[in-house]
Amino acid sequence: MHLLIIVSAVTIACWLRYSAHIPQGNWNLRWERSLFLFLFPPLLIFMTATAVVCMGTQGTMGGMYTGSFSFLLASIFLGFFNILGIKLAFQGWKSIKSARECPQVNLAGKQARILPTKALFAGQMGFWQPELVVSQGLLQTLSPAHLESVLAHEQGHYQYRDTFWFFWLGWMRSCTAWLPNTEPLWQELLVLRELRADSYAASQVDPLVLAESLLLVVSNNPITEEVCCAALGAGDRLEQRIEALLTPPETTSETTSEAQLQSWHIFLLAFLPLLTVVFHT
């Protein structure tokens, strides 16, 4: 019976991912749908494995005896899940430790770490309280106005705690890379993360100046994605970001926050496998 539950959860997860397609529309709607398609399937599998482990190897369920195979399978999955989480946390800790060895300066009233490289780079590095990291090349290349726009973009990442949330999303990505459409959905979330930070920055500085900064940084930024890092040049859809900056912002209704809160309710369905514990005797 437990094996049937596991197979059902994996089948539903694969079906959701396989039928997934990158949604269209404004970035708010795209974010909600992409996040659901990316996060719900692995969360469903994780909760199913947790329920099976909690029920153990003894007893019956629905009149059927349970065996040790499903328990062993779920335990291996959860162990693999935890090992990957520890590995990513260790990599993130090393990145943060390396960044904190760089000298700290004051930039427009904000504390920042300076990377000794000529590459153009700016990013937030850390978990819940990330630190701003910029390169010497960026400070030497950008004008004060362009630098201000870059700092506004990075403040957007800080405002939304992107480094913290994307660490956990990255964990899900690593553990369920075998699910269909994991990488396309991950790349979509990265781009939407940047669009959200761009939108925040555009409310603080001239969007045209920010667009110019994007062109300068992204076209000269060889630094790849790192754990616990939200950088200005993340994502490769530069044209999409420039177009969004040059397009007048959409008007948002007063019920936007309520709609976003309601959209999280659907994730409660992923916890339904935990209810099966009640029927285990």
Side-chain angles (χ1 to χ4, degrees), residues 23-99:
Q24 303 298 319
N26 63 56
W27 66 263
N28 277 311
L29 295 176
R30 287 168 57 191
W31 173 266
E32 290 179 7
R33 179 167 175 79
S34 296
L35 185 62
F36 170 77
L37 292 173
F38 181 85
L39 186 57
F40 186 87
L43 192 60
L44 178 65
I45 295 174
F46 176 75
M47 290 303 165
T48 301
T50 301
V52 171
V53 170
C54 290
M55 287 184 283
T57 59
Q58 305 297 323
T60 61
M61 183 177 179
M64 300 176 63
Y65 286 98
T66 59
S68 59
F69 178 74
S70 55
F71 175 83
L72 180 61
L73 189 64
S75 298
I76 290 174
F77 174 79
L78 291 179
F80 174 73
F81 207 80
N82 290 328
I83 290 173
L84 279 180
I86 294 172
K87 178 183 176 182
L88 288 176
F90 180 69
Q91 291 176 349
W93 175 78
K94 287 200 304 182
S95 298
I96 296 170
K97 182 180 178 182
S98 177

Side-chain angles (χ1 to χ4, degrees), residues 11 33 42-43 51 53 86 88 113 142 148 191 208 258 280:
T11 301
R33 179 167 175 79
L43 192 60
V53 170
I86 294 172
L88 288 176
R113 300 283 180 177
L142 298 188
E148 180 186 5
V191 172
L208 181 59
E258 296 179 4
H280 181 81

